[in-house]
């Protein structure tokens, strides 16, 4: 199933969208909530994934909560950050629980999805799936 574009706003309040097709790039979407303890535990693994995802679009998607205090401690590197994801996108992508790690094909189809925290063994599995390079 092809997913619709992901809509939301950036930190500056401007509208953002991630649409398909994305050329030949896969997209790694990391859905979180600033108040989610599991998301905070997963953040270091996500940053490691984001740094090694050459040739992929990496998107951090806040699906609920204020980012002001959160971003003082948690960074996103060179990834795209959705400060707020539109409710219709949250429903379309089934972002009801966080954290969610979602790998999408260049045409917007779900290639793989991982829910919950990312322990070391799962991180290695995800790295293989996303073609992680260090």
């Amino acid at each position: 199933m092809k997913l619709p574009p992901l809509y939301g706003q950036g930190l500056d309040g401007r509208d953002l969208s991630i649409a398909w097709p994305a050329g030949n790039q896969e997209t790694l979407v990391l859905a979180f909530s600033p108040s989610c303890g599991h998301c905070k535990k997963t953040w270091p693994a996500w940053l490691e994934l984001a740094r090694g995802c050459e040739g992929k679009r990496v998107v951090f998607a806040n699906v609920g909560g204020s980012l002001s205090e959160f971003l003082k401690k948690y960074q996103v590197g060179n990834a795209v950050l959705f400060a707020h994801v539109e409710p219709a996108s949250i429903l379309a992508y089934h972002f009801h629980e966080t954290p969610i790690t979602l790998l999408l094909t260049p045409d917007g189809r779900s290639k793989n999805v991982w829910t919950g925290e990312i322990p070391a063994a799962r991180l290695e599995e995800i790295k293989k799936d996303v073609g992680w390079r260090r």
Side-chain angles (χ1 to χ4, degrees):
M1 177 175 101
K2 185 175 178 180
L3 291 166
L6 181 65
Y7 292 108
Q9 287 82 39
L11 284 174
D12 58 5
R14 289 190 302 172
D15 290 339
L16 293 175
S17 68
I18 299 293
W20 323 112
N24 61 356
Q25 282 188 313
E26 289 183 326
T27 302
L28 185 64
V29 178
L30 311 165
F32 71 98
S33 173
S35 61
C36 169
H38 298 291
C39 298
K40 292 173 184 174
K41 289 179 184 175
T42 298
W43 208 265
W46 276 352
L47 287 179
E48 187 173 341
L49 280 172
R51 288 185 192 113
C53 282
E54 294 177 22
K56 290 184 178 40
R57 199 165 42 171
V58 179
V59 177
F60 284 88
N62 175 19
V63 297
S66 171
L67 285 176
S68 58
E69 291 299 314
F70 186 82
L71 288 178
K72 289 178 183 175
K73 184 172 180 181
Y74 300 94
Q75 303 300 312
V76 298
N78 293 327
V80 174
L81 172 65
F82 276 73
H84 169 76
V85 175
E86 291 295 323
S89 288
I90 291 172
L91 290 172
Y93 283 74
H94 301 283
F95 290 155
H96 304 295
E97 295 179 26
T98 55
I100 296 175
T101 306
L102 176 64
L103 181 61
L104 299 167
T105 62
D107 66 351
R109 297 180 191 284
S110 177
K111 183 174 179 180
N112 210 336
V113 61
W114 299 269
T115 58
E117 290 180 31
I118 300 177
R122 182 183 275 183
L123 178 60
E124 293 308 312
E125 169 196 330
I126 296 170
K127 283 180 177 180
K128 287 178 187 173
D129 208 28
V130 301
W132 187 84
R133 294 187 186 112
R134 192 61 173 154

